[in-house]
């Protein structure tokens, strides 16, 4: 007789209720917002922005949007910003939204799942909508308006209809500036009367890629030697004195605007505008890329501070290079047809990593850094990545997703959490690619040959094109046959640093540490605003003994010191950066633990740090008997 139990259990299982649990079920999903399609858009958006309120720092917006048909219509407020590759735009600053059809005020409804989408029902016979709202910059984050200057990112002051590629939506933009403000932008002016500027018609995609800088203190320098393709440096400062860049530094800018197009064997822009703020009031210390302009924001003292100029030289070249790598040629999964669809950054190690590599290469060639400063800058990147314990669980490829879930935000444990490491680790990766190309070709080929093909062929045009991982590998294979797919996959997905510094080794150098900081490292600490002891005790110190960061499982970590603590004493002395440095040197000599006190969580604590390794500042050292390919790369004249 057969065993009937299995059949019985099967029958019971089949007869079980469809629902496997008891409790609520989700409400129906919100209706989908219309997907953008590549089709014509009839009419032209009229966009008028009033930026005259420097007291309250408010942008007032009036917009006329053509109606394509009566019935349901959705207006979108941009959420994704191309410069951050992230949904970093906030919806809260948009306020006072009123939409009218002629004299009739229309009701609008914010999408219940997407606060950047506004639904309306357009009556029959209506040809256009009149929209008005204000943009209210927050107290935190970069300032956009001061009594001395302003920056206008157009995506913060415009709505657009869902359902179209934004490159197909025409826009006539007008801007009213505060009295006596002068302005610069890559957009072309149609008419300027007093403080009101009308720009030539463009499309929405180009509009949001062409911010405006304006201010009372303004200076323009023509950089290009070929007047047929104008390149301008537009300086806006807190004062006229802030704008006085030296002739030597301006000459390096001029050299750059010839050398970078030569590197990429293409020049796609009709004209190019560097937009530069030199201010302690506005945003500082960063930049954003655009196809025909570049935003660069530095301190008010930049023009008179050679150390800051040297340290931020990479920023200047990086953002200019993005006009090729990032804006004109973009990763396929990063490009989107509007600013409310998710971007994906799987190739940010190319977009950002290779761009930063070229910045390291070009700054010494342009005289923006000495050879030693350039080697020391690479040493800082190499050391930073060598100390990334988070690689044990998080790969470089995984870090390309950082922009989606930690956009523009600091993390407390950066060496463990990793954040945007595709910049510095990307430099190490592309340095190795360059050196490997030289090895494979007996020094006849390099990454410059890749750049000439990848960014040069067919790119003397403003038309945006995209690339894939396969395109990168195939182009490299044309330069020097190799299994580039396996090469990148092994490094992008690694959980150890086995190949991290291969590029330095192939270039004839190795990373070492000494107890004296380089000139570049001193400026690196000045930029951090504190003492960087991350490779010794495992801390970065801020002002007045504040602990800015603690390295994961470092001597300071194990001693119970955490972020936000404040060091009070070192030994029997009151805390200072120099006292702590001397204590580290003394501990290395005496083998006695470093005793200190610190305040945390409202309580004073004592700690003893068993660290005897002295101060450790990174530098590069020649490998005896090796070929010095690295200085050949950095020192080549264009």
């Amino acid at each position: 007789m057969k065993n009937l139990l299995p059949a019985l259990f099967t029958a019971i299982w089949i007869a079980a209720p469809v629902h496997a649990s008891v409790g609520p079920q989700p409400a129906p999903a919100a209706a989908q917002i219309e997907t953008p399609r590549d089709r014509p858009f009839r009419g032209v958006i009229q966009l008028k922005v009033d930026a005259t309120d420097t007291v309250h720092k408010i942008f007032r917006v009036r917009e006329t949007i053509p109606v394509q048909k009566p019935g349901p219509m959705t207006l979108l407020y941009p959420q994704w910003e191309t410069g951050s590759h992230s949904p970093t735009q906030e919806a809260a600053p948009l306020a006072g939204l009123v939409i009218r059809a002629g004299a009739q005020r229309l009701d609008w409804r914010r999408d219940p799942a997407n606060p950047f989408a506004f639904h309306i029902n357009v009556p029959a016979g209506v040809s256009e909508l009149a929209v008005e709202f204000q943009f209210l910059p927050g107290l935190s984050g970069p300032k956009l308006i001061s009594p001395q200057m302003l920056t206008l990112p157009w995506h913060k002051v415009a709505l657009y209809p869902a359902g179209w590629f934004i490159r197909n939506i025409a826009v006539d933009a007008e801007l009213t500036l505060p009295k006596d403000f002068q302005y610069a932008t890559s957009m072309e002016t149609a008419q300027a009367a007093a403080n009101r500027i009308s720009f030539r018609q463009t499309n929405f995609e180009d509009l949001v890629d062409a911010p405006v800088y304006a201010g009372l203190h303004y200076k323009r320098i023509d950089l290009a030697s070929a007047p047929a393709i104008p390149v301008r440096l537009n300086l806006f400062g807190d004062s006229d004195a802030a704008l006085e860049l030296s002739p030597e530094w301006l000459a390096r800018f001029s050299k750059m605007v010839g050398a970078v197009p030569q590197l990429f064997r293409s020049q796609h822009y009709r004209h190019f505008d560097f937009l530069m703020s030199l201010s302690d009031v506005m945003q500082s210390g960063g930049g954003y890329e655009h196809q025909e302009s570049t935003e660069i924001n530095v301190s008010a003292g930049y023009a008179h501070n050679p150390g800051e100029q040297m340290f931020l030289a990479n920023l200047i070249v990086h953002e200019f290079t993005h006009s090729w790598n990032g804006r004109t040629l973009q990763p396929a999964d990063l490009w989107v047809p509007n600013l409310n669809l998710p971007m994906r950054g799987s190739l940010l190690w190319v977009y950002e990593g290779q761009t930063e590599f070229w910045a390291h290469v070009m700054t010494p060639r342009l005289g923006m850094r000495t050879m030693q400063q350039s080697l020391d800058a690479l040493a800082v990147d190499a050391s930073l990545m060598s100390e990334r314990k988070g690689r044990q669980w998080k790969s470089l490829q995984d870090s390309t997703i950082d922009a989606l879930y930690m956009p523009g935000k600091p993390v407390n444990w950066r060496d463990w959490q990793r954040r945007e490491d595709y910049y510095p680790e990307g430099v190490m990766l592309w340095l190795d690619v360059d050196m490997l190309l030289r090895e494979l070709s007996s020094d006849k080929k390099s990454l410059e040959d890749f750049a000439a093909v990848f960014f040069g062929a067919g790119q003397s045009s403003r038309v945006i094109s995209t690339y894939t991982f396969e395109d990168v590998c195939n182009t490299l294979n044309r330069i020097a046959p190799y299994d580039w797919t396996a090469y990148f996959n092994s490094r992008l997905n690694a959980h150890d640093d086995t190949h991290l510094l291969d590029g330095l080794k192939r270039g004839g150098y190795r990373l070492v540490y000494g107890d004296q900081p380089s000139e570049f490292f001193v400026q690196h600490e000045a930029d951090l605003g504190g003492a960087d002891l991350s490779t010794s005790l495992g801390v970065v110190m801020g002002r007045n003994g504040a602990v800015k960061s603690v390295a994961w499982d470092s001597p300071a970590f194990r001693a119970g010191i955490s972020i936000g603590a404040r060091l009070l004493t070192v030994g029997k002395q009151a805390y200072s950066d120099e006292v702590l440095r001397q204590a580290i040197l003394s501990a290395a000599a005496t083998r006695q633990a470093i005793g200190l006190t610190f305040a945390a969580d409202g309580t004073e604590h004592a700690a003893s740090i068993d660290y005897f390794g002295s101060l450790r500042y990174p530098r590069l050292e020649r490998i005896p008997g090796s070929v010095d390919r690295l200085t050949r790369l950095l020192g080549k004249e264009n």
Side-chain angles (χ1 to χ4, degrees):
M1 181 177 177
K2 294 182 179 179
N3 188 347
L4 297 180
L5 286 178
L8 178 61
F9 287 145
T10 301
I12 293 173
W13 179 81
I14 292 173
V18 173
H19 298 296
S21 63
V22 176
Q25 298 299 310
Q32 292 295 309
I33 296 169
E34 188 175 4
T35 300
R37 288 183 283 162
D38 192 2
R39 54 178 174 160
F41 180 84
R42 298 190 307 275
V44 180
I45 289 179
Q46 305 292 325
L47 174 62
K48 297 182 179 181
V49 179
D50 184 333
T52 58
D53 191 347
T54 61
V55 174
H56 301 103
K57 302 174 178 57
I58 294 169
F59 293 99
R60 290 178 168 82
V61 182
R62 292 183 180 274
E63 196 170 1
T64 302
I65 301 176
V67 169
Q68 306 299 295
K69 63 180 181 179
M73 181 177 179
T74 301
L75 297 179
L76 298 175
Y77 184 54
Q79 180 180 10
W80 290 73
E81 298 183 290
T82 55
S84 65
H85 331 301
S86 309
T88 41
Q89 175 99 307
E90 296 180 353
L94 187 155
L97 178 62
V98 175
I99 302 175
R100 291 186 174 88
Q104 180 185 0
R105 180 168 174 171
L106 301 182
D107 291 331
W108 56 263
R109 178 178 58 84
R110 196 187 296 262
D111 189 272
N114 183 346
F116 294 85
F118 302 88
H119 302 293
I120 52 179
N121 192 51
V122 180
V126 172
S127 61
E128 62 184 27
L129 300 178
V131 178
E132 63 179 84
F133 64 90
Q134 303 83 45
F135 176 76
L136 314 176
L139 295 177
S140 60
K143 289 187 178 180
L144 298 179
I145 306 183
S146 80
Q148 305 297 323
M149 73 175 75
L150 66 84
T151 62
L152 175 61
W154 291 102
H155 61 274
K156 294 185 181 295
V157 292
L159 297 170
Y160 67 93
W164 280 265
F165 282 23
I166 57 175
R167 69 185 180 209
N168 295 334
I169 301 175
V171 183
D172 285 337
E174 180 183 291
L175 173 62
T176 303
L177 292 170
K179 186 176 183 294
D180 298 326
F181 270 41
Q182 299 183 72
Y183 71 96
T185 176
S186 63
M187 284 222 295
E188 297 177 347
T189 299
Q191 184 178 358
N195 62 335
R196 182 171 297 173
I197 305 101
S198 298
F199 298 99
R200 290 184 182 175
Q201 189 173 112
T202 187
N203 62 64
F204 201 92
E205 184 175 58
D206 286 347
L207 175 77
V208 298
D209 197 41
V212 179
Y213 275 38
L216 292 173
H217 307 285
Y218 170 59
K219 182 182 246 185
R220 191 184 87 174
I221 299 100
D222 293 316
L223 298 174
S225 57
I229 306 178
V231 180
R232 299 170 288 250
L233 175 60
N234 302 279
L235 305 175
F236 296 88
D238 292 340
S239 65
D240 288 339
L243 310 180
E244 296 303 319
L245 284 171
S246 70
E248 294 78 14
W249 198 245
L250 292 175
R252 291 161 187 153
F253 267 88
S254 295
K255 187 176 181 181
M256 174 181 64
V257 303
V260 174
Q262 183 178 343
L263 171 69
F264 295 126
R265 300 295 190 267
S266 60
Q267 199 159 346
H268 48 269
Y269 43 80
R270 301 163 298 180
H271 44 73
F272 198 90
D273 282 271
F274 289 91
L275 307 174
M276 192 168 185
S277 70
L278 301 94
S279 173
D280 293 332
V281 177
M282 304 289 284
Q283 54 188 339
S284 63
Y288 299 95
E289 63 269 20
H290 305 284
Q291 190 179 42
E292 293 188 321
S293 65
T294 284
E295 297 180 68
I296 299 167
N297 307 300
V298 297
S299 76
Y302 173 88
H304 309 287
N305 187 338
E308 184 180 359
Q309 292 171 6
M310 178 273 294
F311 185 76
L312 294 180
N314 264 36
L315 173 67
I316 309 295
V317 182
H318 181 105
E319 301 303 347
F320 186 39
T321 299
H322 265 320
S323 182
W324 286 262
N325 184 17
R327 300 308 306 137
T328 304
L329 187 62
Q330 303 182 16
D333 64 356
L334 195 62
W335 181 86
V336 287
N338 74 15
L339 296 176
N340 291 76
L341 290 178
M343 301 174 184
R344 290 168 291 165
S346 67
L347 292 172
L348 283 172
W349 53 275
V350 185
Y351 183 116
E352 297 291 6
Q354 191 180 131
T355 297
E356 185 65 1
F357 165 81
W358 289 122
H360 273 285
V361 168
M362 296 303 293
T363 47
R365 294 185 186 184
L366 298 169
M368 292 179 166
R369 288 177 180 165
T370 66
M371 179 61 71
Q372 188 59 54
Q373 289 165 346
S374 299
L375 293 172
D376 292 337
L378 282 171
V380 169
D381 276 359
S383 174
L384 187 67
M385 291 299 97
S386 295
E387 300 291 325
R388 279 294 193 255
K389 293 183 179 178
R391 190 179 292 104
Q392 298 171 23
W393 72 273
K394 182 175 179 177
S395 68
L396 175 59
Q397 186 62 66
D398 186 69
S399 81
T400 64
I401 304 173
D402 291 353
L404 302 185
Y405 70 96
M406 53 174 81
K409 298 177 181 178
V411 293
N412 288 335
W413 304 95
R414 186 160 184 173
D415 66 317
W416 186 244
Q417 291 171 277
R418 308 192 78 183
R419 178 179 174 271
E420 298 179 350
D421 280 356
Y422 43 79
Y423 285 90
E425 191 164 334
V427 171
M428 295 296 107
L429 175 63
W430 287 106
L431 175 62
D432 189 45
V433 172
D434 179 272
M435 294 299 157
L436 182 54
L437 287 171
R438 293 169 191 266
E439 279 189 3
L440 294 170
S441 65
S442 300
D443 288 313
K444 294 177 182 178
K445 300 291 184 180
S446 71
L447 203 58
E448 291 184 52
D449 297 280
F450 169 87
V453 175
F454 200 69
F455 300 108
Q459 284 303 317
S460 289
S461 163
R462 292 185 67 243
V463 176
I464 292 171
S465 56
T466 61
Y467 62 86
T468 64
F469 176 79
E470 290 73 22
D471 293 329
V472 174
C473 295
N474 290 340
T475 305
L476 283 168
N477 204 48
R478 290 171 58 185
I479 308 303
Y482 195 68
D483 190 349
W484 292 105
T485 299
Y487 171 90
F488 283 121
N489 282 332
S490 65
R491 285 153 178 79
L492 291 171
N493 299 300
H495 289 291
D496 57 52
D497 60 3
T498 301
H499 297 292
L500 177 67
L501 303 183
D502 281 359
L504 291 177
K505 183 178 179 181
R506 296 185 206 270
Y509 285 79
R510 59 191 170 207
L511 175 66
V512 296
Y513 293 89
D515 60 9
Q516 293 298 316
S518 65
E519 176 190 1
F520 184 88
F521 196 91
V522 170
Q523 196 62 40
H524 158 73
E525 289 189 313
D527 184 68
L528 283 176
D532 183 356
L533 303 170
S534 55
T535 56
S536 53
L537 290 189
V539 293
V540 174
M541 302 301 302
R543 294 179 180 176
N544 302 317
V547 178
K548 295 182 68 173
S549 73
V550 177
W552 189 261
D553 199 30
S554 63
F557 182 104
R558 293 191 293 271
I561 298 171
S562 190
I563 300 162
R566 186 167 67 87
L567 302 193
L568 304 174
T569 64
V570 180
K572 297 182 179 181
Q573 299 184 67
Y575 175 83
S576 72
D577 291 348
E578 187 55 34
V579 166
L580 183 57
R581 290 189 185 100
Q582 290 301 318
I584 294 171
L585 292 172
S586 177
T590 64
R591 309 294 294 178
Q592 297 295 313
I594 300 170
L596 50 80
T597 62
F598 65 93
D601 302 319
T603 306
E604 187 172 317
H605 307 264
S608 179
I609 303 180
D610 295 323
Y611 174 74
F612 312 115
S614 193
L615 293 168
R616 297 177 77 241
Y617 296 110
R619 61 185 176 87
L620 299 184
E621 179 182 84
R622 285 280 290 117
I623 299 174
S626 63
V627 178
D628 186 354
R629 291 189 173 98
L630 183 54
T631 57
R632 190 181 305 168
L633 166 68
L634 300 178
K636 179 180 176 181
E637 286 290 331
N638 285 288

